[in-house]
Amino acid sequence: MIRVLVVDDDFMVAKVHSGFVSRIDGFEVCGVAHSAEAALTAVGELQPDLVLLDVHLPGTTGLDLIAPFRELAPELDVLVITSEREAGSVKKALRSGVVHYLMKPFTFEVLRERLERYRSTYANLDSTGEAEQDAVDEAFGVAGGAAGASSLKGLPKGLSPETLQLVETALRDDTEPASATDISERVGISRASARRYLEYLYESGRSTTSLKYGVVGRPERRYVWKR
């Protein structure tokens, strides 16, 4: 079993996320913390395998806890769960080695997909003494994970890895086809910029598109992440 510590200052949100985790095979909630101090204590005492970490905690940012967490539990993994959409926070999370950056709100199915991918990735690496290239690629996101898009080199001029990460996450978390307007509102960028990032994801084979026809005007282009 993968033991999970849920860290969120909102008691109800923490309860919901704990319930989600408990419904996923192979995972169990070993503890819940609502503050930085409680989270540090829990990591030291419980030695969880994975922390679901909120960014907004009383008096601090959860991202600043990642290094202290790993001093207490060197093998610990962190999955950030937050409403924080600033590209700087995503960049800091990536540099801290988080396994994923999941934006609120999200559905049970979205969290289950992330956790099952996390579990399968580590299972592949643990199944043999020597890692195969496919398993390494999956661990580092080359096979199409969220980390893969954000680590791409040679992006078209004007596109940044950090914003691409935000756009990709927003699109992945959508259960319905999303337009450039939908993504621009979620990420906090202009519609034109959202369209450029969405077209890049489409051209690189990570999403599909369709047209939505209205009563008047041009049809609206909508995007769906390839599951």
PDB file of all heavy atoms in Angstrom, residues 162-197:
ATOM      1  N   GLU A 162       6.664  27.030 -18.541  1.00  0.00           N
ATOM      2  CA  GLU A 162       5.832  27.174 -17.357  1.00  0.00           C
ATOM      3  C   GLU A 162       4.356  27.384 -17.726  1.00  0.00           C
ATOM      4  O   GLU A 162       3.457  26.762 -17.151  1.00  0.00           O
ATOM      5  CB  GLU A 162       6.326  28.348 -16.497  1.00  0.00           C
ATOM      6  CG  GLU A 162       7.719  28.161 -15.909  1.00  0.00           C
ATOM      7  CD  GLU A 162       8.810  28.381 -16.934  1.00  0.00           C
ATOM      8  OE1 GLU A 162       8.590  29.143 -17.895  1.00  0.00           O
ATOM      9  OE2 GLU A 162       9.894  27.780 -16.786  1.00  0.00           O
ATOM     10  N   THR A 163       4.120  28.252 -18.714  1.00  0.00           N
ATOM     11  CA  THR A 163       2.739  28.482 -19.138  1.00  0.00           C
ATOM     12  C   THR A 163       2.190  27.262 -19.860  1.00  0.00           C
ATOM     13  O   THR A 163       1.008  26.924 -19.729  1.00  0.00           O
ATOM     14  CB  THR A 163       2.653  29.724 -20.045  1.00  0.00           C
ATOM     15  OG1 THR A 163       3.209  30.850 -19.360  1.00  0.00           O
ATOM     16  CG2 THR A 163       1.204  30.037 -20.398  1.00  0.00           C
ATOM     17  N   LEU A 164       3.049  26.573 -20.611  1.00  0.00           N
ATOM     18  CA  LEU A 164       2.614  25.348 -21.270  1.00  0.00           C
ATOM     19  C   LEU A 164       2.149  24.325 -20.239  1.00  0.00           C
ATOM     20  O   LEU A 164       1.150  23.631 -20.439  1.00  0.00           O
ATOM     21  CB  LEU A 164       3.747  24.770 -22.112  1.00  0.00           C
ATOM     22  CG  LEU A 164       3.427  23.468 -22.864  1.00  0.00           C
ATOM     23  CD1 LEU A 164       2.274  23.677 -23.840  1.00  0.00           C
ATOM     24  CD2 LEU A 164       4.662  22.949 -23.582  1.00  0.00           C
ATOM     25  N   GLN A 165       2.850  24.247 -19.119  1.00  0.00           N
ATOM     26  CA  GLN A 165       2.448  23.339 -18.039  1.00  0.00           C
ATOM     27  C   GLN A 165       1.049  23.692 -17.537  1.00  0.00           C
ATOM     28  O   GLN A 165       0.196  22.816 -17.341  1.00  0.00           O
ATOM     29  CB  GLN A 165       3.437  23.453 -16.874  1.00  0.00           C
ATOM     30  CG  GLN A 165       2.984  22.796 -15.576  1.00  0.00           C
ATOM     31  CD  GLN A 165       3.113  21.293 -15.616  1.00  0.00           C
ATOM     32  OE1 GLN A 165       4.206  20.789 -15.840  1.00  0.00           O
ATOM     33  NE2 GLN A 165       2.036  20.571 -15.401  1.00  0.00           N
ATOM     34  N   LEU A 166       0.778  24.985 -17.358  1.00  0.00           N
ATOM     35  CA  LEU A 166      -0.528  25.424 -16.875  1.00  0.00           C
ATOM     36  C   LEU A 166      -1.627  25.084 -17.879  1.00  0.00           C
ATOM     37  O   LEU A 166      -2.696  24.587 -17.506  1.00  0.00           O
ATOM     38  CB  LEU A 166      -0.510  26.931 -16.618  1.00  0.00           C
ATOM     39  CG  LEU A 166       0.369  27.424 -15.461  1.00  0.00           C
ATOM     40  CD1 LEU A 166       0.406  28.950 -15.464  1.00  0.00           C
ATOM     41  CD2 LEU A 166      -0.139  26.915 -14.136  1.00  0.00           C
ATOM     42  N   VAL A 167      -1.363  25.358 -19.148  1.00  0.00           N
ATOM     43  CA  VAL A 167      -2.359  25.085 -20.190  1.00  0.00           C
ATOM     44  C   VAL A 167      -2.615  23.588 -20.296  1.00  0.00           C
ATOM     45  O   VAL A 167      -3.764  23.144 -20.375  1.00  0.00           O
ATOM     46  CB  VAL A 167      -1.904  25.662 -21.551  1.00  0.00           C
ATOM     47  CG1 VAL A 167      -2.834  25.204 -22.672  1.00  0.00           C
ATOM     48  CG2 VAL A 167      -1.861  27.183 -21.487  1.00  0.00           C
ATOM     49  N   GLU A 168      -1.537  22.799 -20.287  1.00  0.00           N
ATOM     50  CA  GLU A 168      -1.699  21.358 -20.407  1.00  0.00           C
ATOM     51  C   GLU A 168      -2.491  20.792 -19.231  1.00  0.00           C
ATOM     52  O   GLU A 168      -3.387  19.965 -19.408  1.00  0.00           O
ATOM     53  CB  GLU A 168      -0.345  20.671 -20.484  1.00  0.00           C
ATOM     54  CG  GLU A 168      -0.468  19.157 -20.604  1.00  0.00           C
ATOM     55  CD  GLU A 168       0.878  18.476 -20.710  1.00  0.00           C
ATOM     56  OE1 GLU A 168       1.782  19.036 -21.358  1.00  0.00           O
ATOM     57  OE2 GLU A 168       1.024  17.379 -20.132  1.00  0.00           O
ATOM     58  N   THR A 169      -2.166  21.242 -18.020  1.00  0.00           N
ATOM     59  CA  THR A 169      -2.877  20.753 -16.837  1.00  0.00           C
ATOM     60  C   THR A 169      -4.352  21.112 -16.905  1.00  0.00           C
ATOM     61  O   THR A 169      -5.223  20.294 -16.594  1.00  0.00           O
ATOM     62  CB  THR A 169      -2.252  21.339 -15.560  1.00  0.00           C
ATOM     63  OG1 THR A 169      -0.883  20.934 -15.477  1.00  0.00           O
ATOM     64  CG2 THR A 169      -2.992  20.834 -14.320  1.00  0.00           C
ATOM     65  N   ALA A 170      -4.644  22.355 -17.312  1.00  0.00           N
ATOM     66  CA  ALA A 170      -6.042  22.775 -17.423  1.00  0.00           C
ATOM     67  C   ALA A 170      -6.788  21.926 -18.442  1.00  0.00           C
ATOM     68  O   ALA A 170      -7.936  21.527 -18.219  1.00  0.00           O
ATOM     69  CB  ALA A 170      -6.112  24.254 -17.813  1.00  0.00           C
ATOM     70  N   LEU A 171      -6.140  21.620 -19.564  1.00  0.00           N
ATOM     71  CA  LEU A 171      -6.787  20.816 -20.604  1.00  0.00           C
ATOM     72  C   LEU A 171      -6.955  19.365 -20.144  1.00  0.00           C
ATOM     73  O   LEU A 171      -8.003  18.753 -20.365  1.00  0.00           O
ATOM     74  CB  LEU A 171      -5.969  20.869 -21.890  1.00  0.00           C
ATOM     75  CG  LEU A 171      -6.609  20.202 -23.121  1.00  0.00           C
ATOM     76  CD1 LEU A 171      -7.930  20.880 -23.477  1.00  0.00           C
ATOM     77  CD2 LEU A 171      -5.644  20.253 -24.312  1.00  0.00           C
ATOM     78  N   ARG A 172      -5.949  18.831 -19.499  1.00  0.00           N
ATOM     79  CA  ARG A 172      -6.008  17.443 -19.012  1.00  0.00           C
ATOM     80  C   ARG A 172      -7.126  17.266 -17.990  1.00  0.00           C
ATOM     81  O   ARG A 172      -7.774  16.221 -17.920  1.00  0.00           O
ATOM     82  CB  ARG A 172      -4.672  17.039 -18.387  1.00  0.00           C
ATOM     83  CG  ARG A 172      -3.545  16.826 -19.380  1.00  0.00           C
ATOM     84  CD  ARG A 172      -2.233  16.624 -18.653  1.00  0.00           C
ATOM     85  NE  ARG A 172      -2.300  15.470 -17.784  1.00  0.00           N
ATOM     86  CZ  ARG A 172      -1.992  14.233 -18.161  1.00  0.00           C
ATOM     87  NH1 ARG A 172      -1.619  14.000 -19.403  1.00  0.00           N
ATOM     88  NH2 ARG A 172      -2.063  13.227 -17.325  1.00  0.00           N
ATOM     89  N   ASP A 173      -7.337  18.291 -17.174  1.00  0.00           N
ATOM     90  CA  ASP A 173      -8.322  18.192 -16.094  1.00  0.00           C
ATOM     91  C   ASP A 173      -9.752  18.396 -16.577  1.00  0.00           C
ATOM     92  O   ASP A 173     -10.702  18.170 -15.829  1.00  0.00           O
ATOM     93  CB  ASP A 173      -8.013  19.213 -14.996  1.00  0.00           C
ATOM     94  CG  ASP A 173      -6.733  18.866 -14.246  1.00  0.00           C
ATOM     95  OD1 ASP A 173      -6.229  17.742 -14.445  1.00  0.00           O
ATOM     96  OD2 ASP A 173      -6.246  19.699 -13.474  1.00  0.00           O
ATOM     97  N   ASP A 174      -9.911  18.842 -17.826  1.00  0.00           N
ATOM     98  CA  ASP A 174     -11.247  19.062 -18.367  1.00  0.00           C
ATOM     99  C   ASP A 174     -11.857  17.747 -18.811  1.00  0.00           C
ATOM    100  O   ASP A 174     -11.237  16.980 -19.547  1.00  0.00           O
ATOM    101  CB  ASP A 174     -11.186  20.015 -19.573  1.00  0.00           C
ATOM    102  CG  ASP A 174     -11.846  21.343 -19.278  1.00  0.00           C
ATOM    103  OD1 ASP A 174     -12.903  21.339 -18.622  1.00  0.00           O
ATOM    104  OD2 ASP A 174     -11.315  22.374 -19.697  1.00  0.00           O
ATOM    105  N   THR A 175     -13.060  17.481 -18.384  1.00  0.00           N
ATOM    106  CA  THR A 175     -13.758  16.276 -18.830  1.00  0.00           C
ATOM    107  C   THR A 175     -14.550  16.521 -20.111  1.00  0.00           C
ATOM    108  O   THR A 175     -15.009  15.586 -20.741  1.00  0.00           O
ATOM    109  CB  THR A 175     -14.714  15.772 -17.735  1.00  0.00           C
ATOM    110  OG1 THR A 175     -15.641  16.822 -17.402  1.00  0.00           O
ATOM    111  CG2 THR A 175     -13.940  15.368 -16.492  1.00  0.00           C
ATOM    112  N   GLU A 176     -14.711  17.791 -20.487  1.00  0.00           N
ATOM    113  CA  GLU A 176     -15.423  18.160 -21.705  1.00  0.00           C
ATOM    114  C   GLU A 176     -14.482  18.927 -22.633  1.00  0.00           C
ATOM    115  O   GLU A 176     -13.490  19.493 -22.187  1.00  0.00           O
ATOM    116  CB  GLU A 176     -16.638  19.040 -21.367  1.00  0.00           C
ATOM    117  CG  GLU A 176     -17.653  18.378 -20.450  1.00  0.00           C
ATOM    118  CD  GLU A 176     -18.364  17.215 -21.128  1.00  0.00           C
ATOM    119  OE1 GLU A 176     -18.442  17.229 -22.373  1.00  0.00           O
ATOM    120  OE2 GLU A 176     -18.824  16.315 -20.418  1.00  0.00           O
ATOM    121  N   PRO A 177     -14.760  18.940 -23.937  1.00  0.00           N
ATOM    122  CA  PRO A 177     -13.941  19.731 -24.862  1.00  0.00           C
ATOM    123  C   PRO A 177     -13.863  21.193 -24.416  1.00  0.00           C
ATOM    124  O   PRO A 177     -14.858  21.765 -23.984  1.00  0.00           O
ATOM    125  CB  PRO A 177     -14.682  19.581 -26.194  1.00  0.00           C
ATOM    126  CG  PRO A 177     -15.414  18.283 -26.075  1.00  0.00           C
ATOM    127  CD  PRO A 177     -15.835  18.198 -24.641  1.00  0.00           C
ATOM    128  N   ALA A 178     -12.673  21.770 -24.500  1.00  0.00           N
ATOM    129  CA  ALA A 178     -12.455  23.141 -24.020  1.00  0.00           C
ATOM    130  C   ALA A 178     -12.029  24.041 -25.171  1.00  0.00           C
ATOM    131  O   ALA A 178     -11.272  23.636 -26.057  1.00  0.00           O
ATOM    132  CB  ALA A 178     -11.398  23.157 -22.927  1.00  0.00           C
ATOM    133  N   SER A 179     -12.498  25.269 -25.135  1.00  0.00           N
ATOM    134  CA  SER A 179     -12.125  26.254 -26.144  1.00  0.00           C
ATOM    135  C   SER A 179     -10.952  27.077 -25.624  1.00  0.00           C
ATOM    136  O   SER A 179     -10.572  27.005 -24.452  1.00  0.00           O
ATOM    137  CB  SER A 179     -13.305  27.180 -26.426  1.00  0.00           C
ATOM    138  OG  SER A 179     -13.604  27.963 -25.283  1.00  0.00           O
ATOM    139  N   ALA A 180     -10.378  27.888 -26.503  1.00  0.00           N
ATOM    140  CA  ALA A 180      -9.300  28.785 -26.097  1.00  0.00           C
ATOM    141  C   ALA A 180      -9.795  29.757 -25.027  1.00  0.00           C
ATOM    142  O   ALA A 180      -9.044  30.116 -24.111  1.00  0.00           O
ATOM    143  CB  ALA A 180      -8.764  29.541 -27.311  1.00  0.00           C
ATOM    144  N   THR A 181     -11.049  30.175 -25.125  1.00  0.00           N
ATOM    145  CA  THR A 181     -11.617  31.072 -24.108  1.00  0.00           C
ATOM    146  C   THR A 181     -11.692  30.377 -22.758  1.00  0.00           C
ATOM    147  O   THR A 181     -11.345  30.969 -21.720  1.00  0.00           O
ATOM    148  CB  THR A 181     -13.025  31.534 -24.526  1.00  0.00           C
ATOM    149  OG1 THR A 181     -12.933  32.219 -25.774  1.00  0.00           O
ATOM    150  CG2 THR A 181     -13.624  32.452 -23.476  1.00  0.00           C
ATOM    151  N   ASP A 182     -12.127  29.124 -22.746  1.00  0.00           N
ATOM    152  CA  ASP A 182     -12.200  28.362 -21.492  1.00  0.00           C
ATOM    153  C   ASP A 182     -10.833  28.280 -20.822  1.00  0.00           C
ATOM    154  O   ASP A 182     -10.692  28.540 -19.617  1.00  0.00           O
ATOM    155  CB  ASP A 182     -12.705  26.936 -21.758  1.00  0.00           C
ATOM    156  CG  ASP A 182     -14.129  26.904 -22.280  1.00  0.00           C
ATOM    157  OD1 ASP A 182     -14.898  27.813 -21.935  1.00  0.00           O
ATOM    158  OD2 ASP A 182     -14.455  25.969 -23.037  1.00  0.00           O
ATOM    159  N   ILE A 183      -9.827  27.918 -21.602  1.00  0.00           N
ATOM    160  CA  ILE A 183      -8.484  27.738 -21.046  1.00  0.00           C
ATOM    161  C   ILE A 183      -7.889  29.076 -20.617  1.00  0.00           C
ATOM    162  O   ILE A 183      -7.218  29.163 -19.583  1.00  0.00           O
ATOM    163  CB  ILE A 183      -7.565  27.039 -22.072  1.00  0.00           C
ATOM    164  CG1 ILE A 183      -8.102  25.650 -22.405  1.00  0.00           C
ATOM    165  CG2 ILE A 183      -6.143  26.957 -21.547  1.00  0.00           C
ATOM    166  CD1 ILE A 183      -8.229  24.718 -21.221  1.00  0.00           C
ATOM    167  N   SER A 184      -8.140  30.134 -21.391  1.00  0.00           N
ATOM    168  CA  SER A 184      -7.579  31.442 -21.028  1.00  0.00           C
ATOM    169  C   SER A 184      -8.116  31.912 -19.683  1.00  0.00           C
ATOM    170  O   SER A 184      -7.380  32.494 -18.873  1.00  0.00           O
ATOM    171  CB  SER A 184      -7.906  32.471 -22.120  1.00  0.00           C
ATOM    172  OG  SER A 184      -9.290  32.798 -22.135  1.00  0.00           O
ATOM    173  N   GLU A 185      -9.389  31.649 -19.414  1.00  0.00           N
ATOM    174  CA  GLU A 185      -9.991  32.052 -18.139  1.00  0.00           C
ATOM    175  C   GLU A 185      -9.432  31.246 -16.974  1.00  0.00           C
ATOM    176  O   GLU A 185      -9.217  31.775 -15.883  1.00  0.00           O
ATOM    177  CB  GLU A 185     -11.505  31.890 -18.214  1.00  0.00           C
ATOM    178  CG  GLU A 185     -12.173  32.875 -19.168  1.00  0.00           C
ATOM    179  CD  GLU A 185     -13.654  32.604 -19.346  1.00  0.00           C
ATOM    180  OE1 GLU A 185     -14.132  31.543 -18.858  1.00  0.00           O
ATOM    181  OE2 GLU A 185     -14.335  33.443 -19.968  1.00  0.00           O
ATOM    182  N   ARG A 186      -9.168  29.962 -17.193  1.00  0.00           N
ATOM    183  CA  ARG A 186      -8.655  29.116 -16.114  1.00  0.00           C
ATOM    184  C   ARG A 186      -7.194  29.423 -15.800  1.00  0.00           C
ATOM    185  O   ARG A 186      -6.781  29.404 -14.640  1.00  0.00           O
ATOM    186  CB  ARG A 186      -8.789  27.639 -16.493  1.00  0.00           C
ATOM    187  CG  ARG A 186     -10.230  27.170 -16.538  1.00  0.00           C
ATOM    188  CD  ARG A 186     -10.323  25.652 -16.587  1.00  0.00           C
ATOM    189  NE  ARG A 186     -11.698  25.253 -16.844  1.00  0.00           N
ATOM    190  CZ  ARG A 186     -12.157  24.886 -18.016  1.00  0.00           C
ATOM    191  NH1 ARG A 186     -11.344  24.847 -19.032  1.00  0.00           N
ATOM    192  NH2 ARG A 186     -13.419  24.558 -18.178  1.00  0.00           N
ATOM    193  N   VAL A 187      -6.412  29.691 -16.846  1.00  0.00           N
ATOM    194  CA  VAL A 187      -4.982  29.880 -16.662  1.00  0.00           C
ATOM    195  C   VAL A 187      -4.637  31.338 -16.345  1.00  0.00           C
ATOM    196  O   VAL A 187      -3.655  31.617 -15.665  1.00  0.00           O
ATOM    197  CB  VAL A 187      -4.221  29.393 -17.910  1.00  0.00           C
ATOM    198  CG1 VAL A 187      -2.726  29.659 -17.793  1.00  0.00           C
ATOM    199  CG2 VAL A 187      -4.469  27.899 -18.111  1.00  0.00           C
ATOM    200  N   GLY A 188      -5.461  32.273 -16.834  1.00  0.00           N
ATOM    201  CA  GLY A 188      -5.181  33.684 -16.600  1.00  0.00           C
ATOM    202  C   GLY A 188      -4.299  34.306 -17.663  1.00  0.00           C
ATOM    203  O   GLY A 188      -3.468  35.176 -17.363  1.00  0.00           O
ATOM    204  N   ILE A 189      -4.455  33.851 -18.905  1.00  0.00           N
ATOM    205  CA  ILE A 189      -3.719  34.430 -20.026  1.00  0.00           C
ATOM    206  C   ILE A 189      -4.732  34.869 -21.076  1.00  0.00           C
ATOM    207  O   ILE A 189      -5.922  34.592 -20.963  1.00  0.00           O
ATOM    208  CB  ILE A 189      -2.724  33.424 -20.638  1.00  0.00           C
ATOM    209  CG1 ILE A 189      -3.462  32.159 -21.113  1.00  0.00           C
ATOM    210  CG2 ILE A 189      -1.632  33.074 -19.643  1.00  0.00           C
ATOM    211  CD1 ILE A 189      -2.550  31.131 -21.773  1.00  0.00           C
ATOM    212  N   SER A 190      -4.258  35.574 -22.100  1.00  0.00           N
ATOM    213  CA  SER A 190      -5.166  36.044 -23.135  1.00  0.00           C
ATOM    214  C   SER A 190      -5.678  34.876 -23.967  1.00  0.00           C
ATOM    215  O   SER A 190      -5.056  33.805 -24.026  1.00  0.00           O
ATOM    216  CB  SER A 190      -4.465  37.045 -24.051  1.00  0.00           C
ATOM    217  OG  SER A 190      -3.490  36.394 -24.844  1.00  0.00           O
ATOM    218  N   ARG A 191      -6.809  35.101 -24.637  1.00  0.00           N
ATOM    219  CA  ARG A 191      -7.377  34.061 -25.492  1.00  0.00           C
ATOM    220  C   ARG A 191      -6.418  33.715 -26.621  1.00  0.00           C
ATOM    221  O   ARG A 191      -6.259  32.540 -26.979  1.00  0.00           O
ATOM    222  CB  ARG A 191      -8.718  34.528 -26.054  1.00  0.00           C
ATOM    223  CG  ARG A 191      -9.395  33.490 -26.943  1.00  0.00           C
ATOM    224  CD  ARG A 191     -10.683  34.031 -27.538  1.00  0.00           C
ATOM    225  NE  ARG A 191     -11.312  33.036 -28.414  1.00  0.00           N
ATOM    226  CZ  ARG A 191     -10.938  32.791 -29.660  1.00  0.00           C
ATOM    227  NH1 ARG A 191      -9.918  33.468 -30.188  1.00  0.00           N
ATOM    228  NH2 ARG A 191     -11.565  31.868 -30.382  1.00  0.00           N
ATOM    229  N   ALA A 192      -5.757  34.733 -27.180  1.00  0.00           N
ATOM    230  CA  ALA A 192      -4.821  34.498 -28.282  1.00  0.00           C
ATOM    231  C   ALA A 192      -3.655  33.623 -27.830  1.00  0.00           C
ATOM    232  O   ALA A 192      -3.217  32.713 -28.546  1.00  0.00           O
ATOM    233  CB  ALA A 192      -4.315  35.821 -28.834  1.00  0.00           C
ATOM    234  N   SER A 193      -3.153  33.898 -26.622  1.00  0.00           N
ATOM    235  CA  SER A 193      -2.051  33.092 -26.090  1.00  0.00           C
ATOM    236  C   SER A 193      -2.504  31.662 -25.834  1.00  0.00           C
ATOM    237  O   SER A 193      -1.795  30.700 -26.158  1.00  0.00           O
ATOM    238  CB  SER A 193      -1.516  33.711 -24.797  1.00  0.00           C
ATOM    239  OG  SER A 193      -0.904  34.955 -25.048  1.00  0.00           O
ATOM    240  N   ALA A 194      -3.684  31.519 -25.241  1.00  0.00           N
ATOM    241  CA  ALA A 194      -4.214  30.175 -24.980  1.00  0.00           C
ATOM    242  C   ALA A 194      -4.336  29.389 -26.274  1.00  0.00           C
ATOM    243  O   ALA A 194      -4.002  28.197 -26.329  1.00  0.00           O
ATOM    244  CB  ALA A 194      -5.568  30.276 -24.270  1.00  0.00           C
ATOM    245  N   ARG A 195      -4.800  30.064 -27.328  1.00  0.00           N
ATOM    246  CA  ARG A 195      -4.954  29.405 -28.624  1.00  0.00           C
ATOM    247  C   ARG A 195      -3.605  28.910 -29.152  1.00  0.00           C
ATOM    248  O   ARG A 195      -3.498  27.789 -29.686  1.00  0.00           O
ATOM    249  CB  ARG A 195      -5.597  30.371 -29.622  1.00  0.00           C
ATOM    250  CG  ARG A 195      -5.752  29.827 -31.036  1.00  0.00           C
ATOM    251  CD  ARG A 195      -6.767  28.708 -31.104  1.00  0.00           C
ATOM    252  NE  ARG A 195      -6.951  28.208 -32.458  1.00  0.00           N
ATOM    253  CZ  ARG A 195      -7.835  28.679 -33.318  1.00  0.00           C
ATOM    254  NH1 ARG A 195      -8.650  29.674 -32.953  1.00  0.00           N
ATOM    255  NH2 ARG A 195      -7.940  28.175 -34.519  1.00  0.00           N
ATOM    256  N   ARG A 196      -2.558  29.686 -28.979  1.00  0.00           N
ATOM    257  CA  ARG A 196      -1.232  29.291 -29.460  1.00  0.00           C
ATOM    258  C   ARG A 196      -0.741  28.034 -28.727  1.00  0.00           C
ATOM    259  O   ARG A 196      -0.210  27.113 -29.344  1.00  0.00           O
ATOM    260  CB  ARG A 196      -0.221  30.418 -29.270  1.00  0.00           C
ATOM    261  CG  ARG A 196      -0.413  31.614 -30.191  1.00  0.00           C
ATOM    262  CD  ARG A 196       0.786  32.527 -30.118  1.00  0.00           C
ATOM    263  NE  ARG A 196       1.980  31.856 -30.611  1.00  0.00           N
ATOM    264  CZ  ARG A 196       3.230  32.252 -30.355  1.00  0.00           C
ATOM    265  NH1 ARG A 196       3.432  33.312 -29.575  1.00  0.00           N
ATOM    266  NH2 ARG A 196       4.259  31.608 -30.840  1.00  0.00           N
ATOM    267  N   TYR A 197      -0.925  28.016 -27.412  1.00  0.00           N
ATOM    268  CA  TYR A 197      -0.492  26.848 -26.638  1.00  0.00           C
ATOM    269  C   TYR A 197      -1.335  25.621 -26.981  1.00  0.00           C
ATOM    270  O   TYR A 197      -0.811  24.507 -27.101  1.00  0.00           O
ATOM    271  CB  TYR A 197      -0.573  27.143 -25.138  1.00  0.00           C
ATOM    272  CG  TYR A 197       0.549  28.010 -24.639  1.00  0.00           C
ATOM    273  CD1 TYR A 197       0.378  29.380 -24.467  1.00  0.00           C
ATOM    274  CD2 TYR A 197       1.794  27.462 -24.337  1.00  0.00           C
ATOM    275  CE1 TYR A 197       1.408  30.189 -24.007  1.00  0.00           C
ATOM    276  CE2 TYR A 197       2.843  28.268 -23.880  1.00  0.00           C
ATOM    277  CZ  TYR A 197       2.639  29.624 -23.714  1.00  0.00           C
ATOM    278  OH  TYR A 197       3.672  30.415 -23.264  1.00  0.00           O
TER     279      TYR A 197
END
